[in-house]
């Protein structure tokens, strides 16, 4: 087999076979297929697309390029949730505790934040003592005993995806639907999930900026799941404004705890109930979405979801008292208000910039090696559709330095005040095929 022939085949829009896709992925991973040929192939795929079957071979070739987490020692259906990344998205902390409180095993591998989006591991590290590095045996034991554990990524998962993504990044082929869908799915499948609920974000703060693009990606991933015998469904949720109120690590842990107490922001609670009920049904713990939703709401109301979170924190070395005393977590030294320059209605956000403003404060990373400041961040006090008076606070800034001029300027440029707002639904669509 010669890579040049495969490039030519794809150039003409023909489908590659399973053997051809494995040859290409394995060759590129071990270095026998050079960068220039893989770049040409990525560009050919960018223009000519891949069929559902090709996409599933590509996904599995990337899964098989490295270690695969074996969760078979965990009892029950392992359901994972994946978000395509947003601003102030505290969902995992709430959702994991909620569904685990109903006996659904949550064995979650999480990552760190980069750029304008945050990561669950960083948030968990705001809890004093919390350890994200636990061995695989302990991880499995914790999930079997308590239904919940979260670890940092271990092992050499999907090296082919890492290498291909790096190449796409410098050849303008990141924005290729078949490549995005197989990249995301390969990582989830390698992490050992039986069933996957995808939270595909759409809007200015998301990877997919339009509902059409988000829907297409959701369908692509659900179909890959079908091809490789994993149950997959997707919720398309709005990211035209930050989720909830808090953006930043300690602030988002507090927001998650408040939500588990039933006192969190409405949008965050709604998204968690929507994603959670899908997970509970996929795990076979309820027959219908309505039943699952009711069960989840019950465990918020009776405190079981919060108790599960507390137990989870304690099991991983964290101080469970954080749920009663938020001052145990790192705090910002200075709080300042950014006020509305005029009266009107909040009509929209440049949502990505809100994430960037939080990053400038130190809540997120500009590069993989940046240090983060867990205590800092933003509270978004006005959301789309809210009326404001000139001089009224729009955002509360939690910082470790007095001078926040650049952050304030970016926030004011990124929050639009006008006369009438169009309010997007939080849940755009649910995609099951
Ligand atoms: N996120 C991923 O994990 N992979 C892509 O290709 C794009 C976004
Ligand atoms: Ca939030």
């Amino acid at each position: 087999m010669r890579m040049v022939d495969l490039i030519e085949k794809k150039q003409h829009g023909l489908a590659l076979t399973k053997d051809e896709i494995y040859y290409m992925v394995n060759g590129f991973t071990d270095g026998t297929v050079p960068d220039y040929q893989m770049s040409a192939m990525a560009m050919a795929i960018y223009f000519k697309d891949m069929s559902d079957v090709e996409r599933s071979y590509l996904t599995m070739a990337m899964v098989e390029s490295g270690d695969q987490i074996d969760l078979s020692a965990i009892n029950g259906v392992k359901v994972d949730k994946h978000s395509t990344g947003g601003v102030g998205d505290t969902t995992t902390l709430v959702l994991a505790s909620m569904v685990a409180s109903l006996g659904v095993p949550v064995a979650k591998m999480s990552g760190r934040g980069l750029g304008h989006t945050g990561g669950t591991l960083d948030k968990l590290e705001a809890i004093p003592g919390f350890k994200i590095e636990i061995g695989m045996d302990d991880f499995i034991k914790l999930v079997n005993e308590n239904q919940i554990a979260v670890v940092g990524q271990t092992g050499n998962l999907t090296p082919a995806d890492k290498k291909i993504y790096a190449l796409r990044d410098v050849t303008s082929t990141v924005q290729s639907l078949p490549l995005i869908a197989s990249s995301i799915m390969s990582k989830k499948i390698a992490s050992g999930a039986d069933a996957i609920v995808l939270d595909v974000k759409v809007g200015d703060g998301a990877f997919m900026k339009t509902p059409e693009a988000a829907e297409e990606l959701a369908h692509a991933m659900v179909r890959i799941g079908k091809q490789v015998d994993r149950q997959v469904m997707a919720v398309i949720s709005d990211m035209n404004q930050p989720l909830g109120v808090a953006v930043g690590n300690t602030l988002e842990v507090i927001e998650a705890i408040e939500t588990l107490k039933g006192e969190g922001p409405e949008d965050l609670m709604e998204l968690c109930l929507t994603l959670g009920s899908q997970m509970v049904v996929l795990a076979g713990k309820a027959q219908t979405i309505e039943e699952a939703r009711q069960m989840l709401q019950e465990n918020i109301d009776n405190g079981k979801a919060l108790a599960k979170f507390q137990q989870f924190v304690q099991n991983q070395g964290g101080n469970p008292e954080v749920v009663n005393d938020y001052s145990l977590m790192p705090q910002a030294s200075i709080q300042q208000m950014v006020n509305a320059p005029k009266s009107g209605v909040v009509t929209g956000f440049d949502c990505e910039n809100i994430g960037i403003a939080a990053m400038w404060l130190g809540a997120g990373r500009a590069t993989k090696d940046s240090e983060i400041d867990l205590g800092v961040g933003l509270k978004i006090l006005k959301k789309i559709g809210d009326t404001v008076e000139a001089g009224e606070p729009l955002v509360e800034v939690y910082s470790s330095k007095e001078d926040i001029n650049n952050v304030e300027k970016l926030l004011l440029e990124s929050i639009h005040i006008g006369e009438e707002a169009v309010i997007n639904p939080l849940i755009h669509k649910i995609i099951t095929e």
Side-chain angles (χ1 to χ4, degrees):
M1 212 177 281
R2 294 194 318 160
M3 186 67 182
V4 65
D5 300 324
L6 306 190
I7 297 168
E8 191 182 334
K9 199 171 168 187
K10 185 44 76 185
Q11 203 174 29
H12 291 292
L14 301 173
L16 301 173
T17 66
K18 179 176 179 182
D19 284 352
E20 288 168 340
I21 288 171
Y22 274 75
Y23 169 84
M24 158 182 109
V25 170
N26 292 337
F28 182 59
T29 310
D30 70 21
T32 53
V33 168
D35 283 7
Y36 49 82
Q37 287 189 313
M38 196 63 201
S39 324
M41 177 61 89
M43 192 58 82
I45 293 171
Y46 178 92
F47 283 112
K48 295 294 181 178
D49 207 344
M50 287 178 125
S51 69
D52 288 342
V53 173
E54 282 180 288
R55 293 171 187 184
S56 67
Y57 292 146
L58 176 58
T59 302
M60 292 314 288
M62 294 198 291
V63 169
E64 289 163 25
S65 72
D67 298 340
Q68 294 176 58
I69 307 296
D70 180 3
L71 297 180
S72 56
I74 296 173
N75 314 315
V77 182
K78 278 76 69 184
V79 187
D80 202 354
K81 187 267 310 185
H82 176 79
S83 150
T84 58
V87 177
D89 183 3
T90 326
T91 310
T92 296
L93 294 183
V94 183
L95 190 60
S97 312
M98 278 167 69
V99 302
S101 75
L102 289 175
V104 176
V106 178
K108 186 132 190 74
M109 293 212 165
S110 279
R112 298 197 176 277
L114 184 63
H116 72 283
T117 64
T120 298
L121 292 187
D122 298 324
K123 292 169 200 175
L124 286 170
E125 280 179 345
I127 300 171
F130 196 98
K131 279 196 292 291
I132 49 119
E133 280 160 27
I134 47 181
M136 201 37 68
D137 291 346
D138 288 335
F139 177 60
I140 287 174
K141 189 162 168 265
L142 280 181
V143 181
N144 271 334
E145 287 172 359
N146 305 297
Q147 291 72 53
I148 179 168
V150 177
V151 282
Q153 264 174 27
T154 53
N156 179 29
L157 297 191
T158 61
D161 172 63
K162 287 195 186 78
K163 214 172 160 192
I164 295 171
Y165 192 89
L167 193 70
R168 288 165 57 205
D169 208 18
V170 293
T171 57
S172 191
T173 49
V174 167
Q175 285 296 344
S176 156
L177 183 82
L179 297 181
I180 297 171
S182 22
S183 166
I184 294 173
M185 289 300 290
S186 70
K187 283 176 282 221
K188 284 290 115 180
I189 292 170
S191 315
D194 302 316
I196 303 159
V197 174
L198 298 162
D199 180 12
V200 179
K201 305 283 191 192
V202 60
D204 183 79
F207 195 69
M208 290 296 171
K209 309 285 182 201
T210 67
E212 296 74 29
E215 234 178 273
E216 234 192 317
L217 176 63
H219 279 298
M221 294 192 289
V222 169
R223 288 189 197 129
I224 289 173
K226 282 229 163 69
Q227 296 282 339
V228 303
D229 287 329
R230 303 293 195 287
Q231 278 184 282
V232 181
M233 53 82 50
V235 172
I236 300 182
S237 72
D238 189 68
M239 200 24 86
N240 284 301
Q241 58 184 341
L243 187 65
V245 170
V247 184
N249 298 284
T250 291
L251 294 175
E252 288 188 47
V253 174
I254 296 171
E255 182 168 76
I257 295 168
E258 290 282 302
T259 306
L260 287 165
K261 290 176 179 173
E263 292 157 11
E266 220 175 289
D267 58 348
L268 177 59
M269 186 77 252
E270 178 58 30
L271 183 60
C272 290
L273 286 169
T274 304
L275 294 166
S277 45
Q278 301 287 346
M279 290 172 79
V280 169
V281 170
L282 285 180
K285 298 280 180 191
Q287 298 302 316
T288 65
I289 297 294
E290 294 68 36
E291 185 192 353
R293 193 181 166 104
Q294 206 179 347
M295 289 159 70
L296 288 165
Q297 185 66 56
E298 240 170 63
N299 277 13
I300 293 286
D301 298 343
N302 63 21
K304 284 187 182 165
L306 180 68
K308 185 54 80 176
F309 175 81
Q310 245 185 328
Q311 183 184 38
F312 154 61
V313 166
Q314 183 159 26
N315 288 343
Q316 295 196 218
N319 184 348
E321 264 309 297
V322 289
V323 309
N324 303 315
D325 182 359
Y326 301 148
S327 73
L328 291 168
M329 292 184 278
Q331 306 288 316
S333 50
I334 304 169
Q335 291 166 35
Q336 299 176 70
M337 292 296 184
V338 172
N339 300 321
K342 60 176 182 181
S343 301
V345 176
V346 177
T347 56
F349 288 81
D350 296 335
C351 189
E352 191 167 330
N353 281 348
I354 306 295
I356 290 171
M359 184 184 79
W360 284 355
L361 289 168
R365 293 185 182 78
T367 71
K368 256 194 262 182
D369 303 316
S370 321
E371 288 266 332
I372 61 172
D373 185 343
L374 295 165
V376 304
L378 306 169
K379 274 194 188 167
I380 311 298
L381 305 176
K382 297 285 178 181
K383 309 251 306 216
I384 296 174
D386 289 346
T387 53
V388 289
E389 298 293 329
E392 205 186 342
L394 283 177
V395 181
E396 186 170 14
V397 178
Y398 288 68
S399 70
S400 54
K401 49 182 190 274
E402 201 80 48
D403 178 6
I404 56 157
N405 285 336
N406 60 343
V407 170
E408 178 166 22
K409 184 163 175 287
L410 184 62
L411 288 171
L412 288 174
E413 279 168 12
S414 309
I415 303 174
H416 306 298
I417 298 173
E419 285 173 4
E420 217 176 318
V422 178
I423 302 179
N424 287 312
L426 173 69
I427 310 296
H428 285 250
K429 226 169 208 177
I430 294 184
I431 306 279
T432 55
E433 57 180 23

